Amino acid sequence: MARAGLTPERLTLAGAELADEVGFDQVTVSALARRFDVKVASLYSHLKNSQELKTRIALFALEELADRASDAVAGRAGKDALAAFAEAYRGYAREHPGRYAAARLRLDPETAAASAAVRHSQMTRAILRGYDLPEPDQTHAVRMLGGVFHGYVSLELAGSFDHSAPDARESWAWIVDSLDVLLRNRAAPHDRPSRKPRSTG
């Protein structure tokens, strides 16, 4: 490939594609230079180092994933929104494992605050508002959903469910159903059916 036309945006996209092919941990400025068949030094006018490249890929992946999740939950509520949100994450991770790993990169507080990570949190809380969870339950639930989704997806990508029944998709649906039940049972007290006190007479 020719050197002409290289930009930070083009290098970020190429880095994201490389991450999907070889793994996010293997993405470096040197690897990117080999992809474009240029000298490493020629990329340093666009990128400071491999850490900046990885941060750019992480921000790109967060934005891309947020867009997908937003489209998935548009017009949905309750369990439908929860299931669509969950499937957006699982689908993205399966299609773009390197980019998904990039989205988990730890960012400094200032960078994180200006990133699409904020949109992910906002979408999660919007879904949970449909369950009328009070605080601190809502924050607990945000963390629970993140932990369950990431944990399951990570195990699935590692092939942990490849050699046993039932199919991983069935377990995924069961998990989403179970999360919905749990969240509904954790709803604010005024949403729960009232129970008449038992007669003692």
Side-chain angles (χ1 to χ4, degrees), residues 65 68-92 123-124 126-128 130-131 145 148-149 152-153 169-181 183-184:
L65 180 51
R68 175 178 291 209
S70 179
D71 289 344
V73 302
R76 299 175 184 269
K79 182 183 176 182
D80 286 344
L82 176 66
F85 188 69
E87 191 54 39
Y89 276 81
R90 179 172 177 263
Y92 186 81
M123 280 188 284
T124 306
I127 291 169
L128 291 172
Y131 290 94
L145 293 182
V148 171
F149 294 164
Y152 191 90
V153 165
R169 289 172 296 184
E170 293 183 40
S171 295
W172 179 253
W174 185 91
I175 287 169
V176 173
D177 286 345
S178 299
L179 289 171
D180 172 65
V181 171
L183 291 170
R184 283 191 284 110

Side-chain angles (χ1 to χ4, degrees), residues 47-85:
L47 299 166
K48 294 178 182 178
N49 49 41
S50 293
Q51 185 59 38
E52 183 190 351
L53 173 61
K54 287 190 171 184
T55 298
R56 283 180 170 274
I57 296 170
L59 295 174
F60 172 80
L62 285 168
E63 190 74 37
E64 193 173 53
L65 180 51
D67 288 343
R68 175 178 291 209
S70 179
D71 289 344
V73 302
R76 299 175 184 269
K79 182 183 176 182
D80 286 344
L82 176 66
F85 188 69

Side-chain angles (χ1 to χ4, degrees), residues 3 11 16 18-19 36 39 42 55-56 67 82 84 97 99 110 112 115 131 133 137 164 176-177 183 189 198-199:
R3 182 182 309 179
L11 292 172
L18 185 61
F36 283 96
K39 294 181 179 179
S42 67
T55 298
R56 283 180 170 274
D67 288 343
L82 176 66
R99 299 184 203 191
E110 184 177 348
S115 76
Y131 290 94
L133 290 175
D137 285 4
S164 61
V176 173
D177 286 345
L183 291 170
R198 293 180 180 178
S199 173

